[in-house]
Amino acid sequence: DTGVSQDPRHKITKRGQNVTFRCDPISEHNRLYWYRQTLGQGPEFLTYFQNEAQLEKSRLLSDRFSAERPKGSFSTLEIQRTEQGDSAMYLCASSLGSDLQRYFGPGTRLTVL
Amino acid sequence: AQKITQTQPGMFVQEKEAVTLDCTYDTSDPSYGLFWYKQPSSGEMIFLIYQGSYDQQNATEGRYSLNFQKARKSANLVISASQLGDSAMYFCAMREGPGGFNKFYFGSGTKLNVKP
């Protein structure tokens, strides 16, 4: 399978705990995006990497959220001190250069109790 | 203002019939792209079809076609000959700008149920 992969697919945590999600993009894709999708809504942009550089962050990305892409390949999204409002699907997508299309992974569904 | 508006939270269609999912958009950028994605219950966003703002003809991909009416700023998805496997959420999305980092906006989606 050469698509975008995300791990874990599901995460249940207690409020106040830290969680980390991983995204592996399509291997030659230099651009990587994180989105958050709450129930009944479309995905909302969180942040964007070109290679290892984080070039854009949404205002949705509070200081409890941090994302990295250390070698320009996989990326991690960490949420510290989780809150119930963080419960959502976290989607990762990748694209190549000026490729207009974003290729999405299956998402990580986070439930904060 | 909403960048993408999908006014149909849910739709029903009989198997083998055609269905139109509505999408209107708002942008002042002359260069933009419109996308439709399908999201089954498994969660993955599956790309269906793309229409560029300068494309003269409506995009088609198999059973999917995009009814692009630029003056009305609408980009409706038409699914012909619906199948049970078409039951899913459908999202309209828009990319603003010609290159570099492009803002990508999604609508709130339409849940399509195909009845046997």
Side-chain angles (χ1 to χ4, degrees):
Chain A
D1 188 336
T2 57
V4 179
S5 62
Q6 292 187 246
D7 183 70
R9 295 291 309 276
H10 303 274
K11 178 71 177 178
I12 300 174
T13 191
K14 292 182 179 179
R15 189 175 53 185
Q17 298 293 305
N18 299 344
V19 294
T20 300
F21 311 141
R22 176 180 170 123
C23 170
D24 286 88
I26 294 171
S27 59
E28 65 269 24
H29 284 186
N30 60 339
R31 296 182 180 186
L32 187 147
Y33 313 82
W34 284 98
Y35 291 84
R36 182 173 72 185
Q37 184 180 21
T38 53
L39 205 60
Q41 298 298 317
E44 295 173 293
F45 169 75
L46 290 179
T47 190
Y48 152 67
F49 290 87
Q50 182 160 308
N51 300 313
E52 66 275 8
Q54 188 174 20
L55 298 186
E56 185 88 9
K57 290 198 294 185
S58 162
R59 283 172 291 182
L60 293 173
L61 215 65
S62 76
D63 56 5
R64 296 185 298 105
F65 288 70
S66 62
E68 293 182 344
R69 195 182 182 199
K71 297 182 180 179
S73 55
F74 73 91
S75 175
T76 58
L77 178 68
E78 181 183 16
I79 309 175
Q80 296 182 325
R81 305 182 303 280
T82 52
E83 302 173 356
Q84 288 184 324
D86 297 331
S87 295
M89 175 80 89
Y90 290 84
L91 292 164
C92 176
S94 69
S95 67
L96 175 63
S98 60
D99 188 357
L100 304 175
Q101 219 303 47
R102 280 147 175 76
Y103 298 83
F104 282 84
T108 294
R109 185 171 295 283
L110 172 67
T111 302
V112 181
L113 302 176
Chain B
Q2 292 279 353
K3 289 286 187 180
I4 295 286
T5 302
Q6 294 181 254
T7 58
Q8 304 154 314
M11 291 277 288
F12 286 90
V13 65
Q14 201 70 39
E15 191 179 9
K16 299 181 185 177
E17 292 186 348
V19 62
T20 298
L21 306 184
D22 294 342
C23 172
T24 57
Y25 59 93
D26 181 30
T27 183
S28 57
D29 197 315
S31 177
Y32 56 89
L34 297 156
F35 301 78
W36 277 92
Y37 286 85
K38 173 184 178 181
Q39 188 177 42
S41 55
S42 57
E44 187 169 354
M45 300 285 282
I46 301 167
F47 166 74
L48 296 178
I49 196 167
Y50 166 77
Q51 179 87 41
S53 58
Y54 296 119
D55 293 343
Q56 295 296 315
Q57 293 190 326
N58 287 344
T60 61
E61 291 283 348
R63 295 186 299 112
Y64 304 107
S65 60
L66 199 151
N67 184 2
F68 181 45
Q69 297 186 45
K70 197 169 183 177
R72 296 179 60 186
K73 294 189 175 180
S74 77
N76 298 341
L77 176 70
V78 181
I79 306 174
S80 62
S82 298
Q83 301 171 357
L84 295 177
D86 293 335
S87 294
M89 284 291 290
Y90 288 81
F91 290 96
C92 180
M94 177 177 68
R95 163 195 57 82
E96 280 185 323
F101 170 67
N102 307 121
K103 300 277 188 193
F104 219 77
Y105 303 95
F106 285 86
S108 56
T110 295
K111 186 172 176 60
L112 178 65
N113 284 288
V114 180
K115 299 185 292 184

